[in-house]
C-alpha cells in the first residue's frame, strides 16, 4: 500500500430534483459560483434541463437543474416540464432532493416516489432554513421524514447566502464515481450563448411582470450574430393575448425598453463583450398548449 494519500479523480452528473419554488436554481448557481440558471420568486421559472459545471482539484461535477415536478396544470407546457424533471435521474450518478423548510407536501412525496424507483444515492437538501424561526422545530420534521424515506445524508442550507454548501459539496463528491473530467476547466455549461440569451430575457419578464403574466410569455432568439466584438441579437417575446402584448410593451414602450436594457447588461456580463439587443413582441394564442410551437421554441428535444 502506498505511503502517499492520493485522492482519486471523480466525475459525475448530479440532478437537483424537487417541487417548484424550493430554490433549486439558486442552489445550482451557488454550487457552481455563477448566475447561470435564471431565478425569480415565481414557481416554474425553470423550464429546461440546465447543466452547470463545477470543477475542483480532484473532482468535476455536472449539476443538472430541472423544472419543479408539479401536480395540476394540464397544458402541453406543464406536461413537458414534468417530462424533463422525470427523465433527469436517468443521466444522474447522484440525486439531490431539494425541499423548502419546514414543509413536506404531496408534491415533495411525488418527487420521492420518482427517486425511490432508481438505485441511485440521494441526499436530502432542506433549503430556506432561515424561514424557520425556532431551529428546534426542524428536529421532529426531519425525524418524521427519515422514518419514511431512506436518504444517504441530510443537509441544511440557506442557498441564497451560501450556508451549508461546503458540507453538501463534500458529500456529493464522496458519492461520485471515479473518473476523469469531461469538460474543460473553465467550462460553465453545455448550453449555447443563444440559449442563455433567451433565458436572460425571460428572466427579466418573470421579474418585472410576475404579477401580470408570469407563465404566458416565452422568448425565441431569431438572430444571434457576432460582429467583431459586438454580439447582435434579435429576439421575439411570445405572448398569448393582444392585451398581454400591451403589458409587455408598456406605456410608450417603457416596459419593453427596461426589459431589454436589463437583459442586455446580463448578457454583456455573461458573454464578456458588448451586445446590441432588439426585441419584438408577438402574439400566438395558447402557444403554451401547442406541441408544435413548443418544439420550435426548443422545449422538446
Amino acid at each position: 500500500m502506498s505511503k502517499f494519500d492520493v485522492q482519486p479523480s471523480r466525475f459525475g452528473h448530479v440532478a437537483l430534483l424537487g417541487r417548484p419554488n424550493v430554490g433549486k436554481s439558486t442552489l445550482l448557481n451557488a454550487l457552481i459560483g455563477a448566475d447561470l440558471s435564471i431565478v425569480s420568486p415565481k414557481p416554474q421559472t425553470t423550464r429546461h434541463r440546465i447543466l452547470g459545471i463545477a470543477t475542483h482539484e480532484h473532482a468535476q461535477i455536472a449539476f443538472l437543474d430541472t423544472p419543479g415536478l408539479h401536480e395540476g396544470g394540464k397544458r402541453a407546457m406543464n406536461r413537458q416540464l414534468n417530462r424533463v424533471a422525470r427523465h433527469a435521474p436517468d443521466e444522474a450518478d447522484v440525486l439531490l432532493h431539494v425541499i423548502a423548510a419546514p414543509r413536506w407536501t404531496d408534491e415533495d412525496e411525488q418527487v420521492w416516489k420518482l427517486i425511490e424507483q432508481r438505485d441511485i444515492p440521494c441526499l436530502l437538501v432542506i433549503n430556506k432554513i432561515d424561514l424557520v424561526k425556532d431551529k428546534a422545530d426542524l428536529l421532529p420534521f426531519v425525524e418524521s421524514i427519515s422514518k419514511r424515506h431512506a436518504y444517504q445524508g441530510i443537509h441544511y442550507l440557506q442557498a441564497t447566502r451560501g450556508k451549508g454548501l461546503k458540507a453538501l459539496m463534500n458529500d456529493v463528491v464522496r458519492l461520485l464515481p471515479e473518473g476523469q473530467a469531461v469538460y474543460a476547466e473553465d467550462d460553465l455549461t453545455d448550453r449555447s450563448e443563444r440559449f442563455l440569451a433567451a433565458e436572460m430575457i425571460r428572466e427579466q419578464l418573470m421579474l418585472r411582470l410576475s404579477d401580470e403574466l408570469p407563465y404566458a410569455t416565452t422568448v425565441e432568439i431569431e438572430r444571434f450574430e457576432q460582429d467583431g466584438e459586438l454580439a447582435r441579437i434579435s429576439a421575439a417575446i411570445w405572448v398569448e393575448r393582444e392585451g398581454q402584448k400591451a403589458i409587455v410593451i408598456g406605456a410608450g414602450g417603457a416596459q419593453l425598453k427596461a426589459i431589454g436594457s436589463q437583459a442586455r447588461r446580463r448578457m454583456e456580463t455573461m458573454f464578456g463583450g458588448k451586445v446590441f439587443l432588439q426585441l419584438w413582441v408577438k402574439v400566438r394564442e395558447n402557444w403554451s398548449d401547442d406541441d408544435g410551437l413548443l418544439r420550435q421554441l426548443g422545449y422538446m428535444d
Side-chain angles (χ1 to χ4, degrees):
M1 186 172 176
S2 172
K3 65 180 180 179
F4 299 108
D5 182 15
V6 179
Q7 288 185 275
S9 290
R10 297 183 181 275
F11 172 83
H13 291 83
V14 178
L16 282 63
L17 304 175
R19 63 176 170 84
N21 216 30
V22 293
K24 297 184 298 298
S25 295
T26 300
L27 176 57
L28 171 75
N29 293 341
L31 288 167
I32 67 173
D35 292 332
L36 174 65
S37 201
I38 68 172
V39 175
S40 87
K42 287 291 181 180
Q44 298 175 33
T45 297
T46 300
R47 293 179 178 172
H48 303 268
R49 160 209 173 277
I50 308 291
L51 184 143
I53 304 161
T55 302
H56 301 277
E57 184 178 1
H58 297 290
Q60 186 177 77
I61 310 103
F63 290 101
L64 303 172
D65 189 15
T66 63
L69 194 66
H70 60 284
E71 299 175 336
K74 298 179 180 179
R75 292 192 161 214
M77 172 66 80
N78 298 107
R79 294 193 296 273
Q80 174 60 15
L81 297 185
N82 278 338
R83 190 178 300 119
V84 171
R86 290 184 181 281
H87 286 173
D90 295 339
E91 56 180 316
D93 301 289
V94 178
L95 303 176
L96 301 183
H97 184 187
V98 186
I99 66 172
R103 298 178 60 214
W104 180 277
T105 70
D106 290 342
E107 288 178 332
D108 293 316
E109 188 66 28
Q110 288 300 314
V111 176
W112 168 254
K113 288 180 179 178
L114 174 67
I115 290 168
E116 68 176 348
Q117 296 171 11
R118 270 82 172 178
D119 185 20
I120 303 172
C122 182
L123 300 172
L124 177 64
V125 177
I126 304 174
N127 193 23
K128 303 185 181 183
I129 59 169
D130 53 305
L131 300 181
V132 181
K133 292 182 179 179
D134 187 351
K135 298 301 186 285
D137 292 341
L138 285 172
L139 297 177
F141 171 68
V142 173
E143 184 178 3
S144 174
I145 295 174
S146 300
K147 285 180 179 178
R148 296 178 287 115
H149 308 87
Y151 294 100
Q152 276 69 39
I154 298 174
H155 290 267
Y156 303 86
L157 262 67
Q158 186 180 350
T160 54
R161 302 191 63 178
K163 290 186 177 180
L165 288 180
K166 183 176 180 180
L168 174 61
M169 186 70 84
N170 288 340
D171 218 3
V172 166
V173 171
R174 175 182 65 83
L175 294 171
L176 288 177
E178 293 186 17
Q180 298 299 313
V182 170
Y183 300 96
E185 186 175 348
D186 57 352
D187 280 351
L188 184 64
T189 184
D190 61 348
R191 290 290 190 172
S192 68
E193 290 185 342
R194 188 184 190 97
F195 172 86
L196 296 175
E199 286 288 274
M200 283 183 265
I201 297 167
R202 193 167 64 80
E203 180 179 43
Q204 294 306 314
L205 290 165
M206 296 291 290
L207 290 172
R208 301 184 68 88
L209 301 172
S210 61
D211 293 332
E212 291 91 345
L213 57 159
Y215 309 119
T217 62
T218 194
V219 177
E220 180 181 20
I221 301 298
E222 297 183 328
R223 183 181 69 151
F224 192 119
E225 297 176 355
Q226 200 67 39
D227 183 6
E229 297 183 356
L230 177 69
R232 296 185 179 274
I233 303 171
S234 300
I237 297 172
W238 289 93
V239 296
E240 297 188 316
R241 304 282 188 274
E242 284 292 339
Q244 295 168 349
K245 179 177 179 179
I247 292 173
V248 174
I249 293 173
Q255 187 71 269
L256 187 62
K257 182 177 180 181
I259 289 167
S261 179
Q262 290 298 319
R264 177 180 54 78
R265 290 192 184 98
R266 281 271 279 124
M267 292 177 199
E268 289 179 340
T269 299
M270 175 69 74
F271 303 154
K274 291 294 184 180
V275 171
F276 176 74
L277 176 63
Q278 292 180 302
L279 298 177
W280 287 270
V281 185
K282 298 182 178 182
V283 180
R284 177 69 173 266
E285 188 173 351
N286 294 324
W287 67 262
S288 62
D289 203 24
D290 184 331
D291 285 333
L293 187 57
L294 288 175
R295 190 171 290 107
Q296 175 187 322
L297 294 170
Y299 287 104
M300 297 181 178
D301 296 329

